[in-house]
Amino acid sequence: MTFTQITLQLLSGFGTTLLLFVLTLVFSLPLGLAVCAGSMSRFKPLRFLTRGFVWVIRGTPLMLQLFVVFYVPGMLLNWPIFASLRHGRFIAALLAFVINYACYFSEIYRGGIESVSQGQYEASAVLGLTKGQTFFHIVLPQVIKRIVPPIGNEVITLVKDTSLARVIAVVDIIMEAETILSLHALIWPLFYTGVFFLVFNGIVSFSLRKLEQRLDYYKI
Amino acid sequence: MAFFEVTDLHKSFGNKEVLKGVSLTLDKGQIMAVIGDSGNGKTTFLRCLNFLTEADTGTISINGETIFDANIPLKPSELRKKRMKMGLVFQSYNLFPQYTVLKNTYLAANLLVKEEASAYAKTLTNASLSEKRRLVSDFKKKRKAENVENAKQLIGSMGLDDESDKYPCQLSGGQSQRAAIARALMLSPEILCFDEPTSALDPKLTAEVLNVIKALKEEGRTMIVVTHEMSFAASCADKIVFFRDGKVVEQGGPEILTDPETADLKDFLQLNKE
Ligand SMILES: Nc1ncnc2c1ncn2[C@@H]1O[C@H](COP(=O)(O)OP(=O)(O)OP(=O)(O)O)[C@@H](O)[C@H]1O
Ligand SMILES: [Mg+2]
């Protein structure tokens, strides 16, 4: 196998990795907001339930959650939905990632919202702002500024976490490299995958830093 | 009936009674200085006037209109309208950090434009739909431009022309407090309250802010100032109110600062001289 062939084969695996990355963010960032609303709800049972769920998800390994999502429907409902569907394994991985990351994001959102000082709400109230106006014009911009750095850290972690999907046989870049290893007895492609992660993470970090700089025109 | 009248305001937090029946009056265009030791309910009193804290009993009225009555709960929309008759300047400014001084000042007024526009739309009974839409959009634009103009004027009157486009993190304490005053004036409150507006400032910046308050008095604004600046109270206030233990123990003209009637105020003034 030539270098180009190997690069192309690894890239096809990396496509899956990227897709998992992008779709996880697309779904988990908004879902995190809903989880956050639940964990800050004034309705106690909902609040406890949500916080308990977040605690479980954050307290167990993502790898375990992947297994649970993939196998439990088959065991419980006698319906191995993810094993039978064409892209079932990928969907199972995506589901596990979305749930996991939504929980992490919800905690970051909560921290961001709780860090806005009481004085900001009071100043808004005295000026006759409605609750909605206070949230969208006063609170949310400050929350966004505060959460961009921690969200960025999670995003970088996600780039690397995507490689966990292979435990339920989602063919990612590392699995492609292993195939090459077993078929062609070449070990270096396995190490070569690191370059893909590094380049991608470089792009992500750079974009995040730009975003932070754009929000840097004021201090809280 | 006095322009501003508070009767029998009570407020407890848990079983701790912080306001034990505060009644007072203030005439239009006057400054009331509220003095008293720490923890005697001055801030709680101002917060009740601005509905940040809901008093347990009592009434507040301006110009004969009751804006608060503990026995009559208000809908949020009514409450908002009434609370805009009062303004409050905080000790810690509470400017919105993400907006410039200018936007801090006009923001609240611009957010009201939507409601003004829908009220205006109701008056356009004869206009066609497309004409109505155009008129309403022109109206909004006009009102917003007026608000920005008005905000600029207020910022100028606070001596902040050069700071108009700065963010709160770029301002000195005195500038921040003057920006907060401009913001509070934007909605033309009937009564502007200040909670120790200078206690975070050094003497020079304190003078800056107090001069602004004096200038506002010249314009005929009605104000209530909680302060520890006795010389300011003596020279500017038309009325002094002395709080102790959740009650107004003594009130009167500035002369009570030199010739107090009650032992409590005598005591307080003695301690505050040193
Ligand atoms: N939200 C609250 N919950 C419980 N107690 C409160 C609350 N707000 C104020 N208090 C109590 O009410 C009392 C009066 O407080 P307040 O802030 O009104 O005093 P103050 O006269 O403004 O004092 P200072 O000069 O220090 O500002 C204090 O004992 C305070 O602990
Ligand atoms: Mg106070």
Side-chain angles (χ1 to χ4, degrees), chain B residues 11-14 16-19 34-47 53 91 195-196 226 228 243 246:
Chain B
K11 179 67 197 177
S12 302
F13 293 108
K16 184 174 162 53
E17 197 176 11
V18 177
L19 296 181
V34 178
I35 58 173
D37 288 312
S38 200
N40 280 288
K42 306 183 299 296
T43 295
T44 307
F45 173 64
L46 281 197
R47 290 175 61 87
T53 299
Q91 184 177 351
D195 191 4
E196 303 190 31
V226 172
H228 287 296
F243 265 64

Side-chain angles (χ1 to χ4, degrees), chain A residues 120 122 125 128 137-138 142, chain B residues 47 80 83 95-96 98-99:
Chain A
Q120 295 288 308
E122 292 183 349
H137 292 272
I138 308 302
Q142 296 180 33
Chain B
R47 290 175 61 87
R80 254 177 71 228
R83 86 187 309 163
L95 292 168
F96 305 129
Q98 69 268 39
Y99 299 130

Side-chain angles (χ1 to χ4, degrees), chain A residues 6 31 36 50 60 70 72 74-75 86 90 104 120 123 129 137 145 147 156 160 162-163 173 190-191 196 199-200 209:
Chain A
I6 287 173
L31 184 64
C36 174
T50 320
T60 55
F70 186 67
V72 162
M75 285 162 45
R86 200 158 89 81
F90 181 82
Y104 277 93
Q120 295 288 308
L129 271 63
H137 292 272
K145 183 179 166 77
I147 65 175
I156 304 252
K160 295 174 284 180
T162 49
S163 66
I173 183 170
L190 193 54
F191 306 141
F196 290 75
V199 168
F200 185 59
R209 204 160 46 239

Side-chain angles (χ1 to χ4, degrees), chain B residues 65-164:
Chain B
E65 181 195 349
T66 303
I67 62 163
F68 174 81
D69 184 336
N71 295 319
I72 306 169
L74 288 175
K75 278 191 290 193
S77 59
E78 292 172 286
L79 184 114
R80 254 177 71 228
K81 275 208 195 84
K82 302 215 167 189
R83 86 187 309 163
M84 277 189 260
K85 294 186 186 296
M86 304 292 298
L88 176 61
V89 172
F90 299 85
Q91 184 177 351
S92 52
Y93 333 129
N94 292 337
L95 292 168
F96 305 129
Q98 69 268 39
Y99 299 130
T100 60
V101 170
L102 182 61
K103 189 162 182 187
N104 261 281
T105 308
Y106 72 67
L107 179 72
N110 269 7
L111 290 175
L112 286 173
V113 167
K114 209 172 168 185
E115 282 162 58
E116 293 170 10
S118 61
Y120 169 72
K122 287 207 184 90
T123 67
L124 302 170
T125 41
N126 302 326
S128 73
L129 201 63
S130 67
E131 196 183 359
K132 205 167 167 178
R133 203 172 290 152
R134 188 180 53 80
L135 283 170
V136 168
S137 126
D138 286 352
F139 173 86
K140 281 188 189 166
K141 259 186 227 139
K142 188 181 111 244
R143 286 291 301 127
K144 286 187 177 172
E146 283 169 2
N147 286 337
V148 173
E149 245 356 272
N150 190 1
K152 280 182 180 158
Q153 206 134 38
L154 282 170
I155 288 167
S157 72
M158 293 294 125
L160 291 172
D161 275 321
D162 295 339
E163 279 70 37
S164 184

